[in-house]
Amino acid sequence: MRGWWQELAGLVLPVDCAGCGAVRVLVCAECRDALSGAGEGPVRPSPRPAGLPVVRAAAVYEGAVRSLLLAHKERGALPLAGVLGAGLAAAVLAGGRGGAGGAGGAGGAGDVALVPVPSARRQVRARGHDPARRIALAAAGRLRRAGVPARVAPVLGLRRAVADQAGLGARQRRENLTGALAVRRGGWRLTAGAARIVLVDDLITTGATLAEAARAVRAAGLVAGVAAGPGAVLRAAVVAAPADSFRRIERAPRH
């Protein structure tokens, strides 16, 4: 039965790995491993935009990871959302270890609300889907299977037109996005009681988009207001980030 399904899928899905080109497989084991979370870590763009929360990324944006993200985002390889969501889930889990509102536990103590950064309507129409939201849905499913109560809360929307970010520098991106996002009316209901609100996107470069998303969430009181759970925290997680934005963690010297 599995072989029959793979043959049928080969008629409608890419038959070569979207990451490296290996034949007869949508994502090969090696490329899947690149998004397993083994390379996960904290990232901080330089310069760091004001208001950017703690951000963790699952992998470096290069090679197979870059190819997988572009295939999903720009070429409509929608089945890749599963493996990309697994990477995002790994970054979300790592961001909850050892802190207030950490993942895990029973009841509402570890509830996680994933807030995807929205795409402009024209981009959604051109691509036929919203990449960040699709990946967030896959990540939420992976988190729930790992025992973490997780939900997708698409509370953010664009309240004015913005220019295409491609080709813009860090300062230009900040100016382009400042004040562009807002929480939709009644959006607080989707995050009510969450211990962690995690802003999610497929990629971070300058951090301007996530910083603006954080500003909108804070302005609406989703973290410090009545919509927040006890001790709620705001974090961010992405599938990938440039290599030079990964922060080195200083370890105490051994004696």
Side-chain angles (χ1 to χ4, degrees), residues 132-191:
R133 184 168 180 173
R134 186 175 291 275
I135 294 171
L137 288 167
R142 179 63 67 102
L143 289 167
R144 289 192 295 269
R145 289 192 292 275
V148 179
R151 51 190 141 134
V152 176
V155 303
L156 292 174
L158 285 163
R159 63 180 183 182
R160 64 169 176 81
V162 296
D164 190 340
Q165 295 277 81
L168 299 183
R171 180 177 178 180
Q172 292 171 314
R173 290 189 177 210
R174 288 195 300 271
E175 293 172 349
N176 182 43
L177 289 168
T178 298
L181 294 177
V183 172
R184 296 186 175 98
R185 182 176 298 180
W188 64 270
R189 295 184 179 90
L190 298 178
T191 60

Side-chain angles (χ1 to χ4, degrees), residues 17 40 43 51 58-59 69 72 87-88 126 137 143 157 177 202 208 219 235 255:
C17 175
E40 184 279 334
V43 295
L69 278 170
H72 176 260
L88 181 61
L137 288 167
L143 289 167
L177 289 168
D202 56 353
R235 296 289 185 263
H255 297 287

Side-chain angles (χ1 to χ4, degrees), residues 17 25 27-34:
C17 175
V25 61
V27 183
C28 72
E30 185 174 348
C31 291
R32 194 176 294 273
D33 285 346

Side-chain angles (χ1 to χ4, degrees), residues 8 11-12 21 27 35 42 57 59 62 73 76 122 163 176 184 194 197 213 230 239 245:
L8 179 61
L11 298 176
V12 294
V27 183
L35 288 164
E62 63 184 14
K73 188 173 189 174
R122 66 179 183 277
N176 182 43
R184 296 186 175 98
I197 296 176
V239 177
S245 67

Side-chain angles (χ1 to χ4, degrees), residues 40-45 48 51-57 91 94-96 197-199 204 210 214 218 233-238 247:
E40 184 279 334
V43 295
R44 180 185 295 170
R48 180 180 183 271
L52 182 70
V54 173
V55 185
R56 299 192 76 96
I197 296 176
V198 185
L199 306 172
I204 184 174
L210 287 172
R218 293 184 181 113
V233 295
L234 179 65
R235 296 289 185 263
V238 295
R247 291 162 41 200

